[in-house]
Amino acid sequence: AVLPTGGGKSLCYQLPGLVRGGTTLVISPLIALMQAQLDDLKARGIHAFSLAGISNASALERIIDSAERCTPCFLFASPEKLKGQLVRIRLERLDIRTVAVDEAHCISAWGHDFRPDYRRLGLIRRLCPGVPMLALSATAAPRVRADILRLLDLRSPLVQVSSARRKNLRYAMQRRPRDPMPQVLEALEQSR
């Protein structure tokens, strides 16, 4: 799904994750993004855990143990975290029923945030055979979408592309003055 920011990408995996039960594995590139989603889910009383920033093996084990006991739940991880043998072994034992790849444009060398470990996410197919997978992005041109489909080995995917146009945003070009600060302050004041 290619949906604009605020267009419901998180809902695309949260609702199915709650309905399908088990563990929803969410692969995301940004710790701050994972933390925001984690906090939102927990505030709603939904079990959610993150492997972000955890390097201690016993701490990883505790988090994955919690995910194993609490279902339905959401487990957030970066693509780099999935390289670790401990994490891969433990993921094989989890009841993963949904996999969501957030910021999926990072898979593609043609995307603006190319991350090499994203290109290896096809291994999730081997760890989670037959598990439905979603790829979500706000920015994925046709060439990037083709990379996502190929590298994630998505089979018979339903591709949904929405316009990036946001009615609440306006763009305008102006000649740059010598000192732009008064214009910036005026624009800020008008936006209140």
Side-chain angles (χ1 to χ4, degrees):
V2 180
L3 300 169
T5 301
K9 290 183 293 295
S10 298
L11 186 60
C12 288
Y13 66 80
Q14 289 174 357
L15 186 59
L18 290 171
V19 171
R20 295 176 58 76
T23 299
T24 297
L25 176 63
V26 182
I27 302 160
S28 180
L30 304 170
I31 292 174
L33 179 61
M34 285 188 255
Q35 192 61 50
Q37 292 176 358
L38 186 79
D39 292 345
D40 181 58
L41 288 166
K42 285 183 173 184
R44 297 170 193 275
I46 298 168
H47 299 292
F49 308 93
S50 176
L51 300 178
I54 309 294
S55 56
N56 177 301
S58 61
L60 283 170
E61 290 273 10
R62 279 193 306 274
I63 292 168
I64 296 172
D65 285 345
S66 296
E68 201 167 18
R69 283 191 309 275
C70 302
T71 63
C73 80
F74 296 84
L75 180 62
F76 292 86
S78 69
E80 292 81 4
K81 188 63 73 181
L82 299 177
K83 288 191 318 189
Q85 185 175 4
L86 169 65
V87 172
R88 285 199 324 262
I89 288 169
R90 289 302 309 273
L91 288 180
E92 288 177 353
R93 294 186 357 215
L94 281 177
D95 181 21
I96 297 175
R97 296 189 189 171
T98 308
V99 175
V101 179
D102 205 2
E103 305 296 333
H105 60 272
C106 295
I107 289 170
S108 175
W110 304 104
H112 65 278
D113 288 328
F114 175 63
R115 300 239 322 244
D117 287 312
Y118 256 85
R119 292 184 75 79
R120 297 180 195 80
L121 287 180
L123 74 89
I124 294 297
R125 280 276 177 231
R126 292 190 295 279
L127 292 175
C128 308
V131 174
M133 181 181 281
L134 295 89
L136 306 159
S137 179
T139 55
R143 196 172 200 175
V144 172
R145 291 195 303 267
D147 263 1
I148 292 168
L149 296 176
R150 181 177 53 80
L151 292 167
L152 288 180
D153 192 23
L154 296 178
R155 299 174 187 127
S156 304
L158 171 63
V159 178
Q160 295 290 310
V161 179
S162 181
S163 171
R165 172 168 281 176
R166 305 236 336 248
K167 293 177 182 165
N168 62 329
L169 299 178
R170 289 187 323 230
Y171 302 94
M173 298 291 292
Q174 294 182 345
R175 187 176 294 275
R176 182 185 168 108
R178 274 191 201 277
D179 180 14
M181 191 53 70
Q183 272 187 325
V184 170
L185 294 174
E186 181 183 340
L188 285 173
E189 188 60 38
Q190 289 176 2
S191 70
R192 291 181 186 200

